[in-house]
Amino acid sequence: MHTDTFLSHLQIDPDKIRPDDWEVDWNNAPYPFKIYQDRPKIALSHEIPLSFQKKTGNLSLDKLGCFLWCVFGITKVVYATYPAHIDDIPHTATMYRRFVPSGGALYPNELYLYIKLNDIPPGIYHYDAAHHSLVLLREGNYDAYLANALGNRCDISDCFATIFVSIFFWKNFFKYHNFAYRLQGLDSGVVIGQLLEVAKQTSFDTTIYYQFLDEQINHLLGLSTEKESIYAVIPMASSLSIQSDTFTEDKITEVPVISHNYHMKSKKLIPYPDLQRIHLQSIQQEIKAFPSIQRTKPIFQTKKQITPLPPCRSHLPPFLETCRSRVSPGADFTKKTVTLEQLSTLLHTVRDATSHSNDLSEHADHPFYHLTIAGYLYEVEEVSNGLYCYNPANHSLQLIQEGDFRFYFQQSMTHQHINLFQVPICLHILGDPLLGTEYLGTRAYRIRQMETGILVQRLLLAASSIGFGGHPLLGYNTKMIDQLYQIQDQKETTLIQIPIGPFHLRGKIEANIHN
Ligand SMILES: Cc1cc2nc3c(=O)[nH]c(=O)nc-3n(C[C@H](O)[C@H](O)[C@H](O)COP(=O)(O)O)c2cc1C
């Protein structure tokens, strides 16, 4: 299948890229974490503070441990009961949860680090989420090698740590087949979004590099590009800036091959040729300079009613409390009227959180990085029920169409496991999934998914900070939603749906870890 067709189906008609008779072999399911064997391990501290302290001096191993746990550690054990008809999941299950959501709770990402701290040998480490420890994969100083793989656009010698966000393709392919490719980009973005928020709490400077020499980075980490590959590289320092003018690729010193044993539980891996082909098409052999990617025009240019949003709540709970209470409520949304102040706080918090720097030079011109937030509002005080678009520039709502759209959205869902009649705010992130393809080729698609995921995590944290739950969802009929927004003939489409509102958790026993 041609790449454009594959990516279009992935967004609009995912059933066309999944075999009709695809059956999930749960007995062959991998762990949601990778466990390296026979490698030196450094246990990280389990002392997690109740709140973050702003930067005081250099990063210590204890602070790094806390950082990693908050980004991607296992934070909760959940004992849940599910109706049998959903995805053939067993009736009861014990599951591990993190501060980030993940499609099907499969967490296809892994985190690797290049660390230069006083407390441990410099080198390349894997974050073992299952044991909250660091596993040494390769000892040594790789400043020059890494800087080169980033096109010499970052002074790695100034960075005490560089984080690599990988995708282990099988971790969610075993369930979602080719649809996994869309989830993998989004899941990576969600993890990056959480990482950026945690870095902000600790006042460390970060920049996302989406452009790098994939094979060179995978080689350094000992990854086999077809099984697991890095999607983003995020250096951390007290202060960072992208050196955008220097795209030189010096000749680098060779580093030897490493290949370490790890355990994932699956006995066999079913091949994934389509996903692999798209992935291999998106890897970079060189790093190019290109002009800032511009969005052509706003999606909605309606002249209908504009509702300015009032001042928002000034006191929000501490960040870690917000992370602890984040959950995808599923069937547990409960109908309550939402105040305009709550809605305003939700959107304002997202808007304020949305500034990060990436290597695409596109941060200056649009607060949501070429993405748009729209959705239906139902029984929000002082706002007529209807479809709205959020304008972050003046913190206002723009009416698209008045009415009660809950039935339409409920009908558009592929599984009826969430009752949208209980949900007062159902948001969509809209955007062009192929924006930037002219410069970045197929890689633009996964970058756009990651940018969407970052915004998803910000929305979820903002919802959690006002006591609401937000449930990211891809199980909806995209054509129906795009038609409602009247964007079916545009490049933009509905990238993800997030019902948000009050909830009351039932039918689950949860145990927070470190609490
Ligand atoms: C990108 C993405 C897509 C998701 N899609 C769905 C979906 O289609 N249906 C659904 O019920 N949940 C979906 N979820 C929610 C996950 O199932 C949920 O995050 C996971 O079970 C972990 O639970 P938690 O969010 O409460 O920690 C999605 C999550 C993410 C990050």
Side-chain angles (χ1 to χ4, degrees):
M1 193 184 293
H2 191 273
T3 303
D4 292 351
T5 317
F6 181 90
L7 295 179
S8 162
H9 288 339
L10 201 50
Q11 287 302 132
I12 311 284
D13 219 343
D15 284 343
K16 290 198 175 145
I17 47 146
R18 262 184 309 224
D20 293 339
D21 57 353
W22 178 248
E23 276 189 31
V24 183
D25 179 359
W26 285 102
N27 293 326
N28 192 39
Y31 289 137
F33 29 70
K34 187 178 185 187
I35 300 172
Y36 277 94
Q37 294 163 320
D38 319 321
R39 296 297 307 160
K41 260 193 188 161
I42 298 168
L44 292 167
S45 168
H46 285 249
E47 294 289 324
I48 305 296
L50 289 173
S51 63
F52 276 110
Q53 287 178 341
K54 295 286 175 193
K55 181 171 58 183
T56 46
N58 280 341
L59 185 68
S60 64
L61 187 61
D62 281 355
K63 280 191 214 156
L64 181 65
C66 174
F67 181 94
L68 289 169
W69 183 75
C70 293
V71 174
F72 208 47
I74 292 173
T75 54
K76 214 192 279 182
V77 183
V78 181
Y79 305 93
T81 314
Y82 287 97
H85 62 271
I86 298 178
D87 290 345
D88 284 343
I89 291 175
H91 288 239
T92 55
T94 304
M95 290 162 299
Y96 301 105
R97 292 287 192 258
R98 312 188 190 203
F99 284 162
V100 286
S102 163
L106 299 174
Y107 309 97
N109 301 98
E110 293 291 327
L111 295 187
Y112 297 83
L113 297 99
Y114 170 45
I115 305 176
K116 288 178 295 173
L117 294 181
N118 292 335
D119 331 30
I120 55 173
I124 304 291
Y125 292 83
H126 171 245
Y127 174 55
D128 180 338
H131 301 99
H132 187 49
S133 55
L134 289 171
V135 180
L136 181 61
L137 300 179
R138 190 196 281 279
E139 198 175 330
N141 184 308
Y142 297 98
D143 284 358
Y145 183 98
L146 185 52
N148 177 274
L150 294 175
N152 288 315
R153 294 170 301 151
C154 179
D155 193 350
I156 292 292
S157 56
D158 277 355
C159 302
F160 41 74
T162 300
I163 303 191
F164 306 87
V165 179
S166 88
I167 280 292
F168 197 111
F169 300 110
W170 174 249
K171 274 173 86 182
N172 65 349
F173 179 87
F174 88 93
K175 178 176 179 193
Y176 293 113
H177 199 269
N178 284 335
F179 190 64
Y181 190 66
R182 181 166 162 199
L183 279 165
Q184 287 161 356
L186 285 166
D187 265 21
S188 304
V190 164
V191 174
I192 296 168
Q194 177 72 1
L195 189 153
L196 297 176
E197 290 304 309
V198 180
K200 208 186 291 171
Q201 296 296 320
T202 43
S203 311
F204 290 124
D205 214 359
T206 51
T207 292
I208 311 165
Y209 286 83
Y210 291 124
Q211 287 203 80
F212 48 87
L213 304 179
D214 303 56
E215 296 280 17
Q216 199 166 309
I217 297 273
N218 290 342
H219 173 81
L220 180 69
L221 273 49
L223 306 181
S224 136
T225 300
E226 296 184 0
K227 270 193 189 157
E228 183 178 8
S229 208
I230 297 301
Y231 263 39
V233 180
I234 307 170
M236 286 199 335
S238 300
S239 167
L240 268 176
S241 64
I242 293 183
Q243 298 155 4
S244 51
D245 295 327
T246 47
F247 285 83
T248 51
E249 285 155 43
D250 305 335
K251 197 171 177 338
I252 48 145
T253 44
E254 288 290 318
V255 303
V257 174
I258 50 167
S259 169
H260 301 306
N261 290 335
Y262 58 84
H263 183 50
M264 293 288 290
K265 187 169 142 293
S266 293
K267 297 235 167 7
K268 59 176 191 310
L269 267 60
I270 299 164
Y272 34 88
D274 292 326
L275 197 151
Q276 209 169 84
R277 183 174 52 80
I278 304 282
H279 171 57
L280 293 178
Q281 271 176 24
S282 70
I283 68 172
Q284 280 183 309
Q285 312 291 349
E286 58 172 333
I287 292 163
K288 298 176 211 152
F290 52 79
S292 176
I293 296 170
Q294 296 297 330
R295 183 159 153 221
T296 43
K297 60 178 173 38
I299 303 184
F300 299 108
Q301 289 173 313
T302 155
K303 297 266 180 298
K304 286 187 190 161
Q305 178 194 325
I306 292 187
T307 311
L309 289 164
C312 55
R313 230 179 254 180
S314 48
H315 289 295
L316 292 174
F319 176 71
L320 277 176
E321 208 175 305
T322 298
C323 293
R324 278 196 188 94
S325 49
R326 187 214 59 80
V327 66
S328 303
D332 296 337
F333 282 106
T334 48
K335 189 163 168 295
K336 280 191 191 144
T337 303
V338 168
T339 65
L340 194 55
E341 189 215 29
Q342 284 171 316
L343 177 69
S344 177
T345 307
L346 171 82
L347 293 169
H348 200 272
T349 309
V350 177
R351 187 186 81 160
D352 270 11
T354 309
S355 71
H356 60 260
S357 90
N358 63 31
D359 64 344
L360 304 179
S361 338
E362 62 180 33
H363 42 285
D365 65 338
H366 193 268
F368 290 156
Y369 298 79
H370 312 298
L371 298 166
T372 300
I373 296 178
Y376 82 64
L377 302 177
Y378 182 79
E379 287 193 355
V380 175
E381 276 175 1
E382 302 169 56
V383 183
S384 318
N385 297 337
L387 211 54
Y388 290 85
C389 159
Y390 175 58
N391 183 348
N394 57 10
H395 189 48
S396 69
L397 294 173
Q398 210 169 346
L399 181 67
I400 300 170
Q401 200 181 335
E402 217 168 314
D404 176 0
F405 292 95
R406 291 173 304 159
F407 185 64
Y408 188 89
F409 283 105
Q410 190 72 55
Q411 271 191 317
S412 81
M413 284 185 50
T414 34
H415 299 292
Q416 297 299 323
H417 62 307
I418 295 182
N419 182 356
L420 291 181
F421 284 84
Q422 303 283 326
V423 175
I425 305 166
C426 183
L427 299 181
H428 297 102
I429 298 179
L430 313 173
D432 173 2
L434 297 178
L435 188 78
T437 313
E438 65 271 40
Y439 305 119
L440 290 155
T442 313
R443 196 180 188 87
Y445 177 85
R446 78 180 204 198
I447 294 176
R448 228 21 80 188
Q449 298 297 321
M450 284 191 266
E451 286 287 314
T452 308
I454 293 172
L455 189 51
V456 169
Q457 184 61 4
R458 284 180 171 148
L459 270 166
L460 298 179
L461 290 175
S464 179
S465 73
I466 54 167
F468 288 1
H471 195 128
L473 271 180
L474 295 184
Y476 57 88
N477 181 325
T478 308
K479 280 185 193 154
M480 275 180 77
I481 310 283
D482 286 0
Q483 265 165 20
L484 188 65
Y485 284 121
Q486 297 186 2
I487 56 168
Q488 68 275 24
D489 299 325
Q490 299 187 29
K491 287 181 177 169
E492 282 88 356
T493 181
T494 313
L495 298 167
I496 192 161
Q497 173 168 293
I498 312 172
I500 293 176
F503 64 100
H504 179 72
L505 290 183
R506 286 167 292 229
K508 278 182 195 165
I509 302 170
E510 296 190 352
N512 279 328
I513 301 178
H514 299 268
N515 191 7

